[in-house]
Amino acid sequence: MITLKDSVVINRPPEVVFSWFAHFEENCKAWHKDHVLARWVKGRNFEKGSVLYAEEYLGGKLEKLSFEITNCVPNELIEYKVLFPESIICSKGSFSIKPADGGSVFTATLSFRFGRVLSKLAGKRVEAIRVHMREEGENLKVLLEK
């Protein structure tokens, strides 16, 4: 298993960062130019058991993804599992928000099965995901620090 991780310091308190996610359907396109849509198909606002359907371009290819929220601690943590068929490769992810000097450290993680094999067979794809994650962090910082 390999885990990709990206962190960014955002000069806003955790409550502000977390509340941005409370309007995720409206905010997803602003978060990254490659995001097409996001909508809750079960539950809402990152409640445990809720399911989010999203479409985004990764490496020029349109991905249609579903995520089930497995844990949510307001102002601190959102954990999810990726649903089938993508779950075969990518099992889970999270967004954590930690207080830091009046602001926050926002960290996104994604865990992939078949670590070495995946890196050898799909190295460009893994790199595209890594770049996308970094851009999301940078964009979130800009959006929230306006």
Side-chain angles (χ1 to χ4, degrees):
M1 178 154 324
I2 61 169
T3 299
L4 301 182
K5 182 186 249 187
D6 185 78
S7 295
V8 64
V9 174
I10 299 174
N11 295 314
R12 303 288 287 166
E15 297 79 16
V16 171
V17 178
F18 189 83
S19 71
W20 184 88
F21 280 93
H23 305 282
F24 193 73
E25 287 176 309
E26 298 87 25
N27 291 335
C28 84
K29 285 185 177 181
W31 193 12
H32 196 283
K33 64 181 174 49
D34 292 336
H35 290 178
V36 176
L37 68 89
R39 72 174 180 267
W40 293 105
V41 295
K42 178 182 173 191
R44 61 188 201 114
N45 288 344
F46 298 96
E47 297 166 346
K48 186 176 180 177
S50 295
V51 176
L52 180 72
Y53 171 79
E55 293 181 4
E56 64 184 15
Y57 285 93
L58 288 171
K61 181 182 177 219
L62 181 64
E63 299 289 338
K64 298 177 180 187
L65 309 161
S66 293
F67 309 90
E68 181 179 342
I69 306 307
T70 57
N71 187 27
C72 183
V73 179
N75 305 321
E76 294 180 25
L77 180 67
I78 299 168
E79 294 177 315
Y80 58 88
K81 65 180 178 180
V82 182
L83 300 180
F84 186 80
E86 287 76 15
S87 60
I88 295 169
I89 301 293
C90 182
S91 59
K92 63 184 177 175
S94 68
F95 301 121
S96 73
I97 309 162
K98 305 263 189 233
D101 298 324
S104 305
V105 176
F106 174 80
T107 302
T109 63
L110 280 174
S111 297
F112 295 88
R113 303 176 202 279
F114 318 112
R116 284 190 194 163
V117 173
L118 183 64
S119 292
K120 288 186 182 203
L121 296 178
K124 287 183 182 179
R125 186 102 176 116
V126 171
E127 186 55 26
I129 294 167
R130 187 184 317 273
V131 168
H132 186 91
M133 289 173 69
R134 185 183 69 244
E135 291 171 349
E136 284 179 335
E138 292 167 355
N139 293 347
L140 187 60
K141 178 179 177 68
V142 169
L143 287 167
L144 293 177
E145 290 183 356
K146 285 183 181 180

